[in-house]
Amino acid sequence: MTKEQDKLVTANMGYVVTLARQYKSDILSTDDLVSEGAIGLMKAAEKYDAAKGKPFVTFAAPYIRRAIEKAIGRLSTDIDTRSTDESLPVGSRNNFTLLNVLEDKNALQADATVEEATLTDDLLKCLNVLNEREQRVINLYYGNGYERQTMAEIAEAMDLKRERVRQIRDQALRKLRKEAKREK
C-alpha cells in the first residue's frame, strides 16, 4: 500500500466506524464489523483514482458496505436455514435471533448524507454564476430547496413556455459545467 493510500485509509477510519454502527449484529461485535469495513476501505484505496473527480468517501462506501455485509453473510451461511425470529442456538432462551444481524434500516445512511451535503455545497457555490431566472429554474427542476417540478409546471409558474424553460435549464447547465471545470 502506498503512502497516499495509507493516508486515505487512516483519514477515513471514522467513516468506517459510522457505517459499521449501522449494522446490528449480536454475533459480530462492532469492532469485528469495523475490521471488516477497514478491509473494504483498503480495497477501495487501492482502486481509487482521484483524477476521476469522485470524492474518496463516495467511492469507498460500497466497498466498505460490501465487506461488512459479506462477513455477516458468511456467518449466516454457517447457520442452518431457520426462521429469522427463532432463538439461536435452537431451544435457548436468549434474545438472539437472525434478525439481530440484519442492517438497521432506521440508521442514517452516512455515505448518502455525506455525498448529499458535499453536492449541495458544491451546487450552492456554482449557482452564483447563474442569473436569478436560471437559478430558479435549476432549483425547481432539481428540487434544490423546493419540491421537484417538471418543466411544464415550472413554465406555468413562471408564465413561460415549456420549451423556453428547457432552453434556460440547458443554458444554466452549460454555465454550471463551465464553472465546475474552472473550480478543478
Side-chain angles (χ1 to χ4, degrees), residues 4-183:
E4 185 177 311
Q5 291 170 343
D6 191 41
K7 284 181 184 178
L8 284 172
V9 170
T10 304
N12 289 285
M13 278 306 295
Y15 181 65
V16 173
V17 172
T18 301
L19 287 179
R21 287 183 179 156
Q22 293 177 4
Y23 292 87
K24 186 176 179 185
S25 174
D26 287 337
I27 296 174
L28 291 174
S29 69
T30 302
D31 288 343
D32 290 336
L33 295 174
V34 169
S35 295
E36 294 294 333
I39 293 168
L41 182 67
M42 287 186 270
K43 285 181 184 176
E46 290 171 358
K47 295 182 180 206
Y48 180 66
D49 182 5
K52 292 187 178 178
K54 191 172 193 178
F56 177 69
V57 82
T58 304
F59 178 81
Y63 287 88
I64 298 165
R65 286 187 181 285
R66 203 170 314 134
I68 292 171
E69 290 168 2
K70 188 176 178 183
I72 292 170
R74 276 192 316 264
L75 186 65
S76 297
T77 57
D78 292 343
I79 300 171
D80 295 336
T81 305
R82 305 205 183 278
S83 169
T84 56
D85 59 354
E86 182 179 341
S87 291
L88 294 174
V90 176
S92 70
R93 294 187 181 183
N94 67 22
N95 291 331
F96 176 71
T97 67
L98 289 177
L99 284 175
N100 299 109
V101 183
L102 299 176
E103 179 182 359
D104 183 359
K105 299 291 184 187
N106 294 324
L108 290 176
Q109 297 293 319
D111 52 337
T113 305
V114 169
E115 183 175 8
E116 185 176 321
T118 302
L119 290 174
T120 300
D121 289 346
D122 292 346
L123 181 62
L124 290 174
K125 289 176 191 172
C126 290
L127 282 178
N128 292 331
V129 301
L130 303 179
N131 64 39
E132 209 173 297
R133 188 182 208 183
E134 292 166 335
Q135 284 183 17
R136 185 168 180 210
V137 168
I138 292 296
N139 285 331
L140 290 172
Y141 186 76
Y142 290 102
N144 186 31
Y146 303 92
E147 186 176 327
R148 190 173 180 164
Q149 295 183 12
T150 65
M151 283 193 265
E153 292 169 330
I154 297 168
E156 187 176 324
M158 295 179 69
D159 198 30
L160 299 169
K161 294 192 183 270
R162 183 187 171 284
E163 176 61 19
R164 182 64 186 132
V165 171
R166 186 194 62 75
Q167 291 169 352
I168 294 169
R169 182 205 61 190
D170 291 350
Q171 179 180 357
L173 290 174
R174 282 192 296 276
K175 284 183 179 180
L176 289 172
R177 283 188 198 103
K178 187 176 180 181
E179 181 64 19
K181 285 180 184 177
R182 192 175 9 206
E183 290 288 322

